[in-house]
Amino acid sequence: GAVVSQHPSRVICKSGTSVKIECRSLDFQATTMFWYRQFPKQSLMLMATSNEGSKATYEQGVEKDKFLINHASLTLSTLTVTSAHPEDSSFYICSATSGGPYYEQYFGPGTRLTVT
Amino acid sequence: RKEVEQDPGPFNVPEGATVAFNCTYSNSASQSFFWYRQDCRKEPKLLMSVYSSGNEDGRFTAQLNRASQYISLLIRDSKLSDSATYLCVVKGGSYIPTFGRGTSLIVHP
């Protein structure tokens, strides 16, 4: 299957700082990328959908000013958690797809964020 | 009613058993369907797409029932390594997938 990388895989930061997570599609052009968050023993929660070159579409309840998403190219999307707080500690996963509804999406390995 | 529903389980089965999961969806206009597998503290990995005619990949068989709006996953000859959470994914006309909460499978010796 297609390869999606995510960096960093793990990050620990202090409360009030910002953290940037990168998601890259390595062997295909990702027209759409998705950002998810997953708390322990809970299901994936879609945070936002981003299409290359346009503003991200955020799910209800997700603050766009806190979770900044940039999809600058067909292979790179970034999620910046601004002014992180301990309750933002979670597993953040991106996924990417190259086409429409019949195309599979491939997930990055995830980033485990811990805010102290 | 939730858009995509799955029995969370866990399903506890012995090695070698056959186990089946169902996933129901509410949007009759849904167009594509997938099963993913997620191991603990890892990202989901695509297991298989689900086609209208049903499809099989080794010990895994997926089927789609549009009339009753559900998809199924059958695992034959369960292995210890099959222990994971199985996620059902449904897409409509847009790119946005809807995930079920997952069904936990535990295969024991």
Side-chain angles (χ1 to χ4, degrees):
Chain A
V3 179
V4 176
S5 71
Q6 222 176 302
H7 178 80
S9 58
R10 186 181 295 268
V11 58
I12 300 172
C13 70
K14 292 188 177 180
S15 189
T17 61
S18 295
V19 174
K20 181 186 279 190
I21 303 170
E22 289 189 352
C23 177
R24 292 181 186 272
S25 58
L26 299 184
D27 54 358
F28 68 102
Q29 293 188 323
T31 52
T32 304
M33 286 186 170
F34 304 94
W35 286 95
Y36 295 86
R37 182 166 54 179
Q38 187 174 36
F39 293 105
K41 298 189 178 181
Q42 293 192 24
S43 58
L44 286 169
M45 188 194 84
L46 179 65
M47 299 175 68
T49 303
S50 77
N51 293 298
E52 184 263 339
S54 57
K55 289 184 179 179
T57 302
Y58 290 80
E59 295 298 300
Q60 196 170 12
V62 179
E63 299 174 58
K64 62 180 181 181
D65 294 329
K66 180 168 179 65
F67 298 100
L68 301 178
I69 291 172
N70 185 287
H71 193 159
S73 74
L74 285 170
T75 59
L76 173 65
S77 176
T78 60
L79 167 68
T80 301
V81 183
T82 61
S83 187
H85 288 100
E87 58 264 31
D88 297 325
S89 299
S90 187
F91 190 44
Y92 291 86
I93 314 175
C94 73
S95 73
T97 183
S98 61
Y102 297 100
Y103 286 76
E104 299 93 349
Q105 57 179 126
Y106 296 93
F107 286 82
T111 296
R112 197 158 299 281
L113 170 64
T114 303
V115 185
T116 60
Chain B
R1 182 183 173 188
K2 291 181 182 174
E3 290 187 59
V4 178
E5 290 201 62
Q6 292 183 253
D7 180 346
F11 285 62
N12 251 291
V13 303
E15 270 187 291
T18 295
V19 62
F21 312 133
N22 278 349
C23 166
T24 59
Y25 59 94
S26 60
N27 184 355
S28 59
S30 298
Q31 295 186 21
S32 53
F33 311 87
F34 308 89
W35 283 103
Y36 281 76
R37 167 196 171 128
Q38 185 175 24
D39 292 288
C40 188
R41 298 173 73 86
K42 298 282 189 181
E43 78 278 18
K45 292 189 187 294
L46 179 67
L47 184 63
M48 58 199 304
S49 304
V50 186
Y51 303 123
S52 296
S53 54
N55 47 305
E56 187 174 310
D57 182 3
R59 297 181 294 109
F60 299 84
T61 301
Q63 297 208 307
L64 166 64
N65 186 316
R66 284 193 183 273
S68 301
Q69 293 183 204
Y70 73 87
I71 65 172
S72 63
L73 178 67
L74 180 79
I75 305 176
R76 288 181 298 278
D77 188 23
S78 299
K79 312 289 184 193
L80 295 176
S81 56
D82 293 334
S83 298
T85 296
Y86 290 83
L87 302 170
C88 163
V89 180
V90 176
K91 288 188 185 181
S94 68
Y95 301 144
I96 301 174
T98 302
F99 279 78
R101 294 176 63 86
T103 297
S104 175
L105 172 65
I106 301 171
V107 182
H108 56 83

